[in-house]
Structures are given as structure tokens and as C-alpha cells.
Amino acid sequence: MAHPPQLTPEQRAAALAQATLSRRTRADVKKGVRQGTLTIADVLELAKSDPAIAKMRVLELLESVPGVGRIRALAIVERLGISVPRKIQGLGIHQRASLLQEFTSQPLGRGRLIVLSGPGGVGKSTVANALRKSSDFWVSISATTRQPRANEVDGVDYYFLTQEEFDRRIADDEFLEWASFAGARYGTPAKPVEDALARGRNVLLEIEIEGARQVRSHSAEALLVFLEPPSWEDLVSRLEGRGSDSPERRAHRLELAQTELAAAKEFDVIVINDQVDKVVQALLSLARSSST
Ligand code: ADP
Ligand code: 5GP
């Protein structure tokens, strides 16, 4: 047996760093497939120029396709004559062609993903609650580590999680996006969003700005809507009128709101929340006019 090459500590460190980078690339690709931003055809194309992707197992790739999972992925590779350990770089011409054929039929009538963001207190959750009553939208339920307010119900307003459970979900890549805001963490569970879009439902995410940026960076299909108050005075009075935050938390939120308002220009559309009904109508017409 040939002796393994003797590596210097520097070479060993470089090899380890490269392996970590390759694993991260593959995890990103799987995430993209899971979220519907990358198709199988895209991944096979990317693998031509990226050795880390070329080394991904076909089975692993197929398992990331929404609605496939391990059992169906095993059945597909068996039917297409692809061995379980086969990597993308080892696929023959006919195997590539049959894989592409298997996955080119895109789901028809995919729903529209709309992200509603804006400064705290502008009225995002009021608008989201109004939209929950409409059959035109499915409104995502976020997870958070903050304490429930009076009247908030677990599984209806939020999934209230412990820090440990939130950490686990991050580690298992279960969030479409997540961010820290005013001392707590908030995240959008990815799977229900993907399932609703695949079923043709329009999906609304009501999230703060950092989360909206994350959705933009890995989802080309999302339409980003920024909700603005009619004036700064309206924002202050809405935050103060809500009365559910402590004075310290309210002061912190006002400070944050100034930075948040400056992010409006990063969004696709700005809607002014002077009347909740008008905002709801604007979102409904955006979903209709931009649906494919
Ligand atoms: P956010 O979710 O953006 O933090 P909320 O939905 O909690 O904001 O709204 C903050 C406060 O503003 C609430 O008391 C809500 O009733 C009030 N509000 C929301 N929209 C309007 C509006 N168009 N006009 C007047 N008050 C509003
Ligand atoms: P609140 O504590 O007032 O319910 O929400 C605080 C902020 O967190 C709001 O701006 C709200 O839009 C945002 N938020 C709620 N859910 C999510 C989420 O899943 N992800 C992100 N990034 N922000 C969220």
C-alpha cells in the first residue's frame, strides 16, 4: 500500500480549511434546492465549474428537493440506474439526461412570496393579522425566543421557543432566515413556507429588516415590501399607544426605528400604512399583478 503523503502542519491546516469550505458550499447548495431557489439543472451546471459541488452525492442532492426525502430519493436513483454512493462528477451522459427529465417539470402555479418589513410599531403585525383572515394569503408563523405578551398564543402568534431549541433549529438549518431584534431572536421556519408556495399559496412573511435582507440574498422570487408610517409622529404614537412594551424597550425600539426607516430604499415597493385596509388591498393586488 502506498504511504499517505507527509503533510507539513501548514499543508494540513490548508487542507482542513479547504474541506470546511467545500462542506459549506454543499450545504448552501442543498439549502438553495430546499428553498426552491436552485433547480437540479442549476446544480448540475454549477458542478461543471465547482469541484466541491461536483463531489456531492446525487442521493444527497435529491433528498434536498422539497417533497422528495430519503425514501423517494432512494427509489429515484434505483429507477434511474444511479448507484447510491455516486457523486455528481461520476454521472454518465444518460444518467444526467434522465435526472434532468425527472426534475424539469416545475410545479405549476407556484405562489408568490411577499416579505413585509418596516420599522417596529409601523403596523406590520396588524396588517399580517388582517391578511390571515383573507384566503388569498398564507401568513407564516415565526419562531421567537421572546416571552409571549398577554393574549398571544403559542402556535398562533409565534412558536415561543427556548434559547436551546432556537439554537438547535439554526444548527439543523430549519430557518429560511433569522435575526436578533431588541434582545430576542426571531426566525421563519423554512419548510411550511416552501410547502405553501409549492401548493400555489401566496405567502406573507412579516419580519424585521435584517431578515428581509437575508431572504433577498437567497431567494430571487421574493417581493420585498417596506411599510412606512405616514409620519415620524405617527410611528412614535403607535409605539407608545401599543402599551405592551416596558418604557426601556420602547425607548430602544424608537432608536432602532430611525435606522430601520433608512432601509426603505433597499426594498422593491414602499407602502404607506395610513389605513390598514388600504395596505391589505395593496398587498393583494401586488400578489395578483406579480404572479407568474
Ligand atoms: P409592528 O408589528 O410593525 O411592530 P403593530 O402591528 O404592533 O406594529 O402596530 C403598532 C400599533 O399601531 C398598534 O397599536 C396598532 O393597532 C397601531 N396601528 C397599526 N396600523 C395602524 C394604522 N393604519 N393606523 C393607526 N394605528 C395603527
Ligand atoms: P414583536 O416582538 O413586536 O412581535 O416583533 C419584533 C420584530 O420582529 C418585528 O419587527 C417583527 O416583524 C420581527 N419578526 C417577527 N417574526 C420574525 C421572523 O421570523 N424573522 C425576523 N427576521 N423578524 C421577525
Side-chain angles (χ1 to χ4, degrees), residues 115-119 209 224-229 260-265 267-272:
V115 176
L116 181 67
S117 198
I209 288 154
L224 267 60
V225 177
F226 191 88
L227 201 57
E228 265 188 357
E260 290 173 319
L261 281 169
K265 55 185 179 299
F267 284 66
D268 299 311
V269 183
I270 296 178
V271 176
I272 296 176

Side-chain angles (χ1 to χ4, degrees), residues 109-129:
R110 190 171 163 82
R112 197 75 177 87
L113 176 58
I114 294 195
V115 176
L116 181 67
S117 198
V122 71
K124 299 183 295 298
S125 56
T126 305
V127 169
N129 283 335

Side-chain angles (χ1 to χ4, degrees), residues 128-147:
N129 283 335
L131 269 175
R132 279 201 168 94
K133 298 184 190 110
S134 129
S135 57
D136 293 270
F137 269 96
W138 180 79
V139 181
S140 166
I141 302 171
S142 297
T144 182
T145 58
R146 84 151 159 73
Q147 293 301 308

